[in-house]
Amino acid sequence: VDVAFVPYSREVYRVFLQARRDCDLAPVCPAGMPFPTKLLESLRKNRCVLFLGAGLSAGAGLPGWQALVDRLSDALGVPRKSGDVDYYLDLAQWFVEGRGEKALADIISGLFGGERGLPTVAHYLLMSLPVRVVITTNYDALLERTLRALRRHPITIVEQRDVARTSRSVGTCVVKFHGDATSGKGIVLSRDDYDAFFRNRPAMALL
């Protein structure tokens, strides 16, 4: 994109859209194939589930895994490494064993908690889809903030006892498998966390 037009009212926006159509400058949809009809049908019937990972939050300016593990490395005084997931899990394990789970939750809260980052266009487009359940590995609250802005009631699912709330007919459930930075609950990052997930949280695992 070379130029972005930011209209400040709906009327100006409509004028801009009409001018773009009149000049034959409306963008062509980049999709090279028709949208799968079965997927469209499932969306219309509210039978789709979104799975969203760290790439979505990175687009909002939040740090990724590497920044998080670098922070843990610095805190423990051990060398930084990149691209080694096994090392990441061990590093988080060493941190929890040495500093405790609260200290890990505090670091995650400092990086991802509260009002950090701003929802992107991708957040708004995805959260506008007619889905009742969104499953994410992200710690941040960007999905919930987007849903509130869209006047859709978010229901955050972090712990075992929250799973029963997914049966509600109103609201959109945001299932956070790796925990929530704002509350500090349900953090999954260390090797023990991953190994024990299915045993300690069977209802979450069933989702």
Side-chain angles (χ1 to χ4, degrees):
V1 176
D2 297 314
V3 177
F5 288 90
V6 184
Y8 287 93
S9 70
R10 291 184 181 186
E11 292 73 23
V12 173
Y13 181 56
R14 286 195 205 99
V15 169
F16 167 72
L17 289 179
Q18 187 58 51
R20 190 172 66 171
R21 281 192 291 271
D22 292 347
C23 295
D24 202 25
L25 295 174
V28 178
C29 179
M33 60 182 71
F35 211 71
T37 53
K38 284 186 178 179
L39 180 56
L40 275 175
E41 189 180 320
S42 295
L43 274 169
R44 289 189 186 111
K45 290 179 179 176
N46 231 354
R47 294 179 56 202
C48 285
V49 174
L50 280 178
F51 289 82
L52 301 173
L56 189 62
S57 295
L62 291 182
W65 259 59
Q66 190 62 54
L68 174 55
V69 296
D70 285 350
R71 190 76 181 271
L72 299 181
S73 297
D74 295 344
L76 292 173
V78 298
R80 291 183 175 188
K81 254 189 204 181
S82 60
D84 186 343
V85 176
D86 272 336
Y87 182 75
Y88 293 171
L89 297 179
D90 287 334
L91 185 66
Q93 188 66 43
W94 299 333
F95 187 90
V96 168
E97 289 171 2
R99 307 283 177 90
E101 291 180 0
K102 169 96 170 51
L104 180 62
D106 288 345
I107 284 183
I108 289 173
S109 179
L111 289 172
F112 305 99
E115 299 290 307
R116 283 169 182 76
L118 289 172
T120 64
V121 171
H123 282 88
Y124 283 102
L125 291 174
L126 289 167
M127 292 302 96
S128 295
L129 291 172
V131 295
R132 278 202 58 252
V133 178
V134 180
I135 294 177
T136 184
T137 53
N138 296 341
Y139 300 114
D140 59 75
L142 290 171
L143 296 175
E144 293 96 318
R145 287 167 59 192
T146 306
L147 286 166
R148 278 193 289 273
L150 292 169
R151 303 294 187 265
R152 297 181 70 188
H153 177 61
I155 302 169
T156 305
I157 311 295
V158 178
E159 298 180 290
Q160 275 284 107
R161 63 183 179 210
D162 299 331
V163 174
R165 299 167 70 198
T166 60
S167 61
R168 292 186 181 177
S169 58
V170 295
T172 303
C173 296
V174 180
V175 182
K176 303 177 103 166
F177 274 162
H178 287 181
D180 179 57
T182 303
S183 67
K185 294 178 181 176
I187 300 300
V188 174
L189 183 62
S190 69
R191 187 173 291 282
D192 280 357
D193 293 335
Y194 281 99
D195 289 345
F197 184 84
F198 289 90
R199 185 175 64 252
N200 294 343
R201 303 187 200 180
M204 292 280 284
L206 278 172
L207 285 176

